[in-house]
Amino acid sequence: MDIIVENLVQVWDDGGAGVRALDGITHHFRSGTLTCLLGPSGCGKSTLAQIVGGIETATSGTIRIVDPKNPSAPPARPGQCSVMMWQSLNLFPWRNVIDNVTFGLEMAGVPKPERYARARELLASVGLRNFEEKACSQLSGGMRQRVALARALIMDRPILLMDEPFAALDAQTKIVMQEELTRIFERMRKTILFVTHAIDEAILLGDEVVVMTARPGRIKEVIRIDLPRPRTQEMVGTHEFGELYDRILHLIREEVLNAMRQQDEALA
Amino acid sequence: MTASGKARSGRPARKRRDPLWLRVLPSLSVVLFIALWELAVKAGDVAPIILPAPSSIARYLVAMILDGSLPYNLAVTFVRIMAGFLVAGVLGVLVGVLMGMSKVLARVIDPWIAALYPLPKISLIPLLIIWLGTGEAYILTISAITAFFPVVISTYAGIRQTSQELVKAARDLGASTRQIQTNVVIPAAIPSIFAGLHLGMGVTIILVVAAEMIGGSNQSGMGYLLIRFGQVMETEKVFASLVALAVFGGVIMKGQQAIDRWVAPWAVGKS
Ligand SMILES: Nc1ncnc2c1ncn2[C@@H]1O[C@H](COP(=O)(O)OP(=O)(O)OP(=O)(O)O)[C@@H](O)[C@H]1O
Ligand SMILES: [Mg+2]
C-alpha cells in the first residue's frame, strides 16, 4: 500500500494557542518499503504515525492510501489497512498474554481454537513460548513490548505502524527482534513506518530514513539506504554503514540542539 | 525469559519479612490492652453494669453462642445485609454503567444523585416507616438506598476515567463501539466498581444494624439484640454482641476482598 501524505499539519489543543506538532509534512511512503522516522523527542513522530493510522485526524492536509497494483480502486480509509504498535504499548491489563494478542481476531469473530493457534505460533516467533497464560503485569518491559508486537502482527494488515517498538529491549534481545522484523518484512513485504531514535537501527532496518526537524515537525531530509537485503547485523561494521551513520548523526545533532534551544527559550 | 520465577500470585513478593517482634506487636498490643482492662476492672471494683471485665464478657459470649441467640441473630442480620447489598450493588453498577454509556442518561440522572447523595439516608427512616411499616421491606429499602449511591458514583467515575489510549488501541484493532464498551470500558472500570462495592458494603452493615435498632418490628438481628440488652442494662451481653458484630464485619470485608482477588486479580490494589 502506498501512503501519500500531503501538507499534513497537526495542531494539538493545549487549552491555549495550541501546539503545532506537524507543520506541512509531505511524503510518499512507498508500498513494500520500510521507512524509519528519526527526530528529536517531541518532534511529532508519534503524531504522524497516529494520523497515518487513522487514529487521530489531522488539522489539515491529506492522506491517500492506495494499492499500487490497483490504482483505480478508491483509496482506503486511514486505519482500515494498518495496525499500530504503540509506544506506550497499551496492552489490556485485564487480559493475559494470549488474550491480548488475539484481541483483534476475537473482535473479528475468529473462533477461539483458530486464533489461539495463530497466536501461539507468533508468540513462539517472538520468544514468548510458554508465556501464553501469564498476566501482562508479570512480564518485563521487553517481554511486554514483544506481546504488543505480536498483537499487531497477528492482524496481518498491509501497513504496520511501529512506534519505537524496540526501545525497552536489552541489546541482545533487540538484535534478535531486529532480525525477526527484517525476516518478517523481507518475507511479507509489508509497508512499514518505523519510529525510532536509534540511528543504527534506522539504517539497519530501513529502505529510507526520514529525518524530522525539532518541533514543529517538518521533514528535514530523506536518506535512501541502499544496503543490500537480506540485512544482517554484520553490516553495522561496514564502511558504507559508517558513512550513513555519520551523515544522519550530523543531521540529528543539529535538530536535537535546536530542540534544546527551544526548550531553554520556553523556560526563560 | 527471566521473569517467570516464583511470583505466581500476581502480587509483589514481600521483599524481606519483618522481624518477629514487629509481626507480633499488633496482637501483643491487643492482649496487653485486654489484660490492663481486666486488671483495672478488678482493682477498681467497677460495677459490671458500667464496665464488665473481659473475662465475664467472654463467658457471656460463649453462653450466647451455645444457647443459639448469637448465631441466630447474626444469621438474620447477615441475610438482611446480603439482600440490601445485592439490590444496591446490582442497581448501582447497572445505573453507573448505563450513565457511562449514554450521555443523555448521565445528564438526566446526575442532578438527582448530586441532590440526594449528601442527604443523610437515616433521615429517611420516618418516611419509610410511614410508607413501608417496620418490617423487612423497610430494612431492605433503607440499606439499599444508602449503599446504592457510593456504588453508582464509583462505577460512573470508573467508566469515565477509562484510558482513552486503550480505547484507541482497541478501535485500531478493529473493535466496534459496542465491543469497546464491553471489552475495554467495563473491565477498565472494575477497580473503581470494586472500590464502590466496598464502600457500599460498609454502609449496608451500618444501616441494617441501625434499622434493626430503630423501629424494626421483627425483634431479631444484632441491632435488636444490642438495643434490648442496653435497655435492660445487661452490659456484658451488649459487649458480647459488639465483639461478635466486629468480628462478623471483619469477616465480611475479608470475604469481599477474597472475592475481588478471585474475580479480577489484576484489579486488586489499583484504586
Ligand atoms: N493527544 C495529544 N494531545 C495534546 N498534545 C499532544 C498529543 N499527542 C502529542 N502531543 C504533543 O505534540 C507534540 C509531539 O508529540 P509526539 O508524541 O508526536 O512526539 P514524538 O516525536 O513521538 O516524541 P518522542 O520521541 O518523545 O516519543 C508534543 O509537544 C506533545 O506534547
Ligand atoms: Mg513518540
Side-chain angles (χ1 to χ4, degrees):
Chain A
M1 287 292 199
D2 276 325
I3 307 166
I4 302 151
V5 165
E6 273 167 351
N7 235 330
L8 220 56
V9 173
Q10 176 68 348
V11 181
W12 288 113
D13 187 6
D14 66 344
V19 178
R20 188 169 275 259
L22 299 176
D23 191 23
I25 301 275
T26 299
H27 190 71
H28 182 167
F29 299 89
R30 274 171 216 290
S31 184
T33 66
L34 196 159
T35 308
C36 290
L37 269 184
L38 264 175
S41 181
C43 75
K45 304 181 293 293
S46 296
T47 304
L48 179 57
Q50 285 175 24
I51 291 173
V52 169
I55 291 152
E56 301 288 349
T57 316
T59 311
S60 68
T62 58
I63 306 170
R64 278 184 304 130
I65 295 172
V66 288
D67 186 353
K69 293 192 202 87
N70 189 6
S72 54
R77 192 166 38 77
Q80 197 178 6
C81 43
S82 62
V83 62
M84 168 77 81
M85 182 189 156
W86 300 76
Q87 184 172 10
S88 48
L89 304 186
N90 290 333
L91 298 176
F92 304 112
W94 53 86
R95 286 177 165 247
N96 64 13
V97 167
I98 198 161
D99 287 329
N100 260 285
V101 173
T102 55
F103 183 88
L105 299 182
E106 186 182 330
M107 297 302 112
V110 177
K112 192 163 180 171
E114 191 183 330
R115 58 176 202 257
Y116 270 31
R118 280 164 74 181
R120 288 223 165 78
E121 204 178 307
L122 258 172
L123 281 168
S125 78
V126 298
L128 287 176
R129 195 192 301 273
N130 298 331
F131 282 85
E132 286 88 357
E133 311 293 328
K134 293 270 181 219
C136 292
S137 60
Q138 286 173 272
L139 303 183
S140 71
M143 292 161 110
R144 270 180 235 173
Q145 227 163 17
R146 285 177 272 157
V147 175
L149 177 63
R151 186 176 74 170
L153 286 176
I154 207 169
M155 301 305 286
D156 202 19
R157 303 234 173 111
I159 300 172
L160 199 51
L161 305 164
M162 306 178 79
D163 198 350
E164 307 203 13
F166 302 151
L169 299 183
D170 62 274
Q172 290 77 29
T173 315
K174 191 170 185 159
I175 290 176
V176 174
M177 295 303 294
Q178 286 170 345
E179 279 169 354
E180 177 65 25
L181 181 68
T182 310
R183 210 170 54 75
I184 289 168
F185 172 68
E186 282 161 7
R187 189 170 34 129
M188 310 228 201
R189 278 291 151 179
K190 289 182 185 294
T191 309
I192 300 183
L193 206 166
F194 189 100
V195 177
T196 176
H197 53 237
I199 299 174
D200 51 354
E201 185 174 65
I203 300 171
L204 189 66
L205 296 177
D207 297 304
E208 205 171 60
V209 175
V210 172
V211 179
M212 291 177 68
T213 65
R215 209 176 59 221
R218 295 194 197 89
I219 291 180
K220 186 177 172 85
E221 207 164 315
V222 179
I223 295 142
R224 287 203 55 78
I225 310 291
D226 285 320
L227 298 174
R229 285 189 186 277
R231 302 270 174 88
T232 59
Q233 211 68 32
E234 287 72 47
M235 291 178 178
V236 175
T238 63
H239 176 69
E240 221 179 338
F241 193 100
E243 261 181 359
L244 285 165
Y245 190 96
D246 289 342
R247 193 167 147 213
I248 295 171
L249 179 64
H250 180 71
L251 293 168
I252 288 284
R253 184 183 288 133
E254 274 179 11
E255 288 313 317
V256 170
L257 290 175
N258 270 343
M260 285 163 75
R261 204 172 311 125
Q262 277 179 15
Q263 270 171 20
D264 286 347
E265 279 163 17
L267 285 174
Chain B
M1 310 329 89
T2 47
S4 62
K6 293 181 212 80
R8 215 172 286 119
S9 66
R11 276 179 299 163
R14 176 113 26 106
K15 280 189 199 77
R16 193 151 45 84
R17 283 175 71 103
D18 294 326
L20 186 70
W21 66 269
L22 201 62
R23 269 182 291 146
V24 299
L25 201 60
S27 1
L28 198 69
S29 72
V30 173
V31 171
L32 212 68
F33 175 76
I34 293 175
L36 280 176
W37 177 353
E38 182 84 33
L39 279 176
V41 170
K42 293 271 158 64
D45 203 14
V46 184
I49 210 170
I50 305 294
L51 186 65
S55 54
S56 69
I57 294 174
R59 261 196 309 280
Y60 276 95
L61 191 61
V62 171
M64 284 166 73
I65 292 173
L66 292 181
D67 73 12
S69 64
L70 213 48
Y72 169 72
N73 287 292
L74 268 178
V76 168
T77 299
F78 179 74
V79 170
R80 287 175 182 152
I81 288 170
M82 284 301 128
F85 177 72
L86 221 64
V87 170
V90 169
L91 285 181
V93 171
L94 197 71
V95 173
V97 167
L98 289 176
M99 283 172 75
M101 300 286 160
S102 149
K103 277 214 173 67
V104 179
L105 218 59
R107 280 287 168 79
V108 174
I109 299 176
D110 221 16
W112 287 91
I113 290 181
L116 293 177
Y117 180 51
L119 182 77
K121 304 308 170 296
I122 296 207
S123 60
L124 294 177
I125 285 183
L127 258 187
L128 287 177
I129 290 182
I130 294 173
W131 289 340
L132 301 172
T134 53
E136 295 302 331
Y138 144 71
I139 297 178
L140 178 71
T141 309
I142 189 72
S143 62
I145 287 179
T146 315
F148 170 77
F149 284 91
V151 176
V152 77
I153 289 170
S154 296
T155 303
Y156 180 44
I159 296 230
R160 288 207 316 179
Q161 283 160 7
T162 303
S163 149
Q164 285 310 301
E165 285 252 296
L166 289 185
V167 171
K168 285 177 193 169
R171 183 164 295 133
D172 186 53
L173 292 168
S176 66
T177 303
R178 182 38 101 35
Q179 286 176 323
I180 288 173
Q181 286 178 344
T182 52
N183 291 285
V184 180
V185 175
I186 291 177
I190 282 186
S192 305
I193 294 177
F194 281 175
L197 289 174
H198 281 271
L199 291 172
M201 179 60 92
V203 294
T204 308
I205 296 175
I206 295 172
L207 264 291
V208 165
V209 174
E212 286 169 348
M213 288 179 157
I214 312 166
S217 63
N218 298 54
Q219 312 221 320
S220 61
M222 294 307 290
Y224 164 74
L225 270 196
L226 279 163
I227 277 287
R228 199 189 70 197
F229 294 145
Q231 278 164 351
V232 298
M233 300 234 212
E234 288 190 280
T235 316
E236 293 95 341
K237 289 188 175 176
V238 171
F239 269 103
S241 306
L242 281 178
V243 170
L245 202 53
V247 171
F248 168 78
V251 168
I252 289 189
M253 289 299 186
K254 281 272 179 270
Q256 201 176 9
Q257 282 164 12
I259 292 175
D260 286 3
R261 248 198 306 281
W262 180 61
V263 174
W266 50 269
V268 173
K270 280 267 176 57
S271 68

